[in-house]
Amino acid sequence: MSVYAPAMLTEGEYLAFERISEQKHEYYDGIIVAEAGGSAAHNRITMNALNSLYNQLINRPCTVYSSDMRVKIPRKNSYVYPDGVVVCGEEHYDDTGHETLLNPIVIIEVLSPSTERHDRGKKFEWYRSIESLEEYVLIAQETQRIDHFRRQSTSLWTFTSIGAEEAQLYLASIDCTLILNAIYHNISEEK
């Protein structure tokens, strides 16, 4: 992750900058971090997962968003672009342009070598402060594995990891199943 601006920016300055920028940036309490483009494998894995969820949710009051949907983490004064987001019911936004979602129920990150530590660590800590969030899904890019965290209470999350080719992961909050070999469909051994 590379920091864009040496000076601290306010939320308003960040949002104004982001509206005119050709590149996406995350915002961490005054610090802007440029979002790097993903590899072909990263993009295929992301699309396979989001397409699967979209197809399962098509006739339900839920929406699946790609990495273009910004999510605000209010308690951490931060804005991020997860690889995938699911929201059900009424969508709440931080702005009139519907660019910043406040109430995701599921967040998905596809792990890259450069982001895995952050996605598992500090970013997950911040995501846990989003009251609406019920499930956090980490999909490995280097190997066929999905790690899943599910909120049980305010301070308790359970962890599940799947890796067998025929394995399935059930997302209870949205009543959907991710099938491991479908997520990794058309992914070559070279990442």
Side-chain angles (χ1 to χ4, degrees), residues 1 28 73 76 109 111 115-129 136 138 149:
M1 295 177 12
Y28 298 101
I73 307 172
K76 301 299 180 181
E109 295 284 6
L111 302 173
T115 65
E116 181 170 2
R117 183 174 171 202
H118 180 63
D119 289 345
R120 289 185 180 282
K122 203 52 109 168
K123 205 169 197 183
F124 181 40
E125 175 188 329
W126 294 334
Y127 282 155
R128 290 192 309 260
S129 73
Y136 183 45
L138 296 167
F149 296 88

Side-chain angles (χ1 to χ4, degrees), residues 131-148:
E131 291 180 16
S132 62
L133 185 66
E134 294 187 31
E135 298 184 82
Y136 183 45
V137 179
L138 296 167
I139 304 175
Q141 187 179 171
E142 300 293 315
T143 186
Q144 290 193 8
R145 187 186 74 249
I146 301 176
D147 292 341
H148 172 244

Side-chain angles (χ1 to χ4, degrees), residues 12-191:
E13 291 169 333
Y14 160 73
L15 292 170
F17 172 76
E18 196 66 1
R19 284 186 191 102
I20 62 170
S21 176
E22 292 182 13
Q23 182 180 6
K24 292 186 296 189
H25 302 83
E26 293 190 331
Y27 176 84
Y28 298 101
D29 198 18
I31 299 170
I32 292 178
V33 178
E35 286 288 279
S39 67
H42 184 281
N43 283 299
R44 283 189 195 118
I45 292 167
T46 302
M47 291 311 300
N48 288 344
L50 298 182
N51 284 337
S52 173
L53 294 177
Y54 173 81
N55 288 331
Q56 293 175 70
L57 293 169
I58 198 162
N59 292 317
R60 293 193 256 159
C62 297
T63 304
V64 179
Y65 288 108
S66 69
S67 62
D68 287 330
M69 177 54 72
R70 184 172 50 232
V71 172
K72 183 175 183 178
I73 307 172
R75 291 185 187 164
K76 301 299 180 181
N77 194 31
S78 298
Y79 295 83
V80 296
Y81 290 93
D83 290 316
V85 175
V86 178
V87 61
C88 294
E90 184 178 350
E91 298 176 18
H92 299 275
Y93 293 94
D94 187 47
D95 50 13
T96 57
H98 297 140
E99 298 170 340
T100 307
L101 186 66
L102 294 173
N103 62 326
I105 192 168
V106 175
I107 291 179
I108 298 168
E109 295 284 6
V110 176
L111 302 173
S112 301
S114 62
T115 65
E116 181 170 2
R117 183 174 171 202
H118 180 63
D119 289 345
R120 289 185 180 282
K122 203 52 109 168
K123 205 169 197 183
F124 181 40
E125 175 188 329
W126 294 334
Y127 282 155
R128 290 192 309 260
S129 73
I130 300 172
E131 291 180 16
S132 62
L133 185 66
E134 294 187 31
E135 298 184 82
Y136 183 45
V137 179
L138 296 167
I139 304 175
Q141 187 179 171
E142 300 293 315
T143 186
Q144 290 193 8
R145 187 186 74 249
I146 301 176
D147 292 341
H148 172 244
F149 296 88
R150 186 168 193 312
R151 185 188 303 265
Q152 300 299 312
S153 67
T154 304
S155 60
L156 177 64
W157 289 74
T158 57
F159 171 74
T160 305
S161 184
I162 63 168
E165 259 186 62
E166 298 300 318
Q168 299 180 5
L169 175 65
Y170 180 66
L171 301 176
S173 65
I174 55 174
D175 190 27
C176 291
T177 301
L178 291 176
I179 300 170
L180 194 74
N181 58 7
I183 299 305
Y184 290 96
H185 175 74
N186 203 22
I187 305 298
S188 68
E189 291 301 314
E190 294 181 33
K191 312 288 187 284

